[in-house]
Amino acid sequence: MRIGEVADKAGVSVRALRYYEEQDLLQARRSPGGQRHYPDTAVSRVRLIQQLYAAGLSSRVVRQVLPCVDSGEASSALLEQLVAERVRIDQRITDLLAVRDRLDDVIAITRNPDSDCCHMR
């Protein structure tokens, strides 16, 4: 697949794909004319990279995780790091749920203001 096709199917920019290559997260072979060609698995790989970034993992950690995803194996040190990252993500989820609850309260008050409530005006 060419770079534009992968970008379209994965919902990312061409620039993001180039960045992933620079970070050794994604590989492409080059045609004699210098065009990038990606394997059919590139779209799912890019989506996984996006999910890992969205979870707050750094490029360095993502680079360590990807081979483990492929092989199903990880060193004990990496496993400990991943467990720590999972704990951090769990805390982030808890924090986001609390923020969502606060927003729900604001939405509810705005939609159905109490006659005694004047702090929202």
Side-chain angles (χ1 to χ4, degrees):
M1 260 187 279
R2 293 177 57 178
I3 194 167
E5 187 178 0
V6 174
D8 287 342
K9 288 184 177 184
V12 300
S13 67
V14 167
R15 185 175 179 167
L17 295 178
R18 289 185 187 125
Y19 176 76
Y20 297 159
E21 278 189 66
E22 289 171 11
Q23 297 299 310
D24 292 325
L25 304 175
L26 186 65
Q27 287 76 38
R29 62 177 175 77
R30 297 285 186 139
S31 71
Q35 293 179 330
R36 290 172 170 90
H37 291 277
Y38 295 91
D40 292 338
T41 58
V43 173
S44 61
R45 179 64 136 219
V46 169
R47 288 180 180 151
L48 173 60
I49 292 167
Q50 289 280 293
Q51 289 173 328
L52 295 170
Y53 275 139
L57 300 179
S58 68
S59 294
R60 180 184 57 78
V61 174
V62 172
R63 193 171 25 260
Q64 292 174 311
V65 168
L66 290 176
C68 301
V69 170
D70 294 336
S71 70
E73 298 176 6
S75 68
S76 59
L78 180 57
L79 188 56
E80 285 180 30
Q81 183 178 0
L82 294 177
V83 169
E85 288 291 345
R86 189 180 192 292
V87 168
R88 184 190 60 76
I89 291 168
D90 281 343
Q91 183 59 54
R92 202 164 157 221
I93 289 169
T94 299
D95 295 345
L96 286 170
L97 289 171
V99 169
R100 185 190 66 187
D101 291 345
R102 298 281 307 268
L103 287 173
D104 285 346
D105 292 344
V106 170
I107 291 167
I109 290 169
T110 303
R111 286 186 174 157
N112 301 306
D114 207 13
S115 59
D116 296 333
C117 180
C118 61
H119 66 280
M120 292 299 293
R121 292 180 194 183

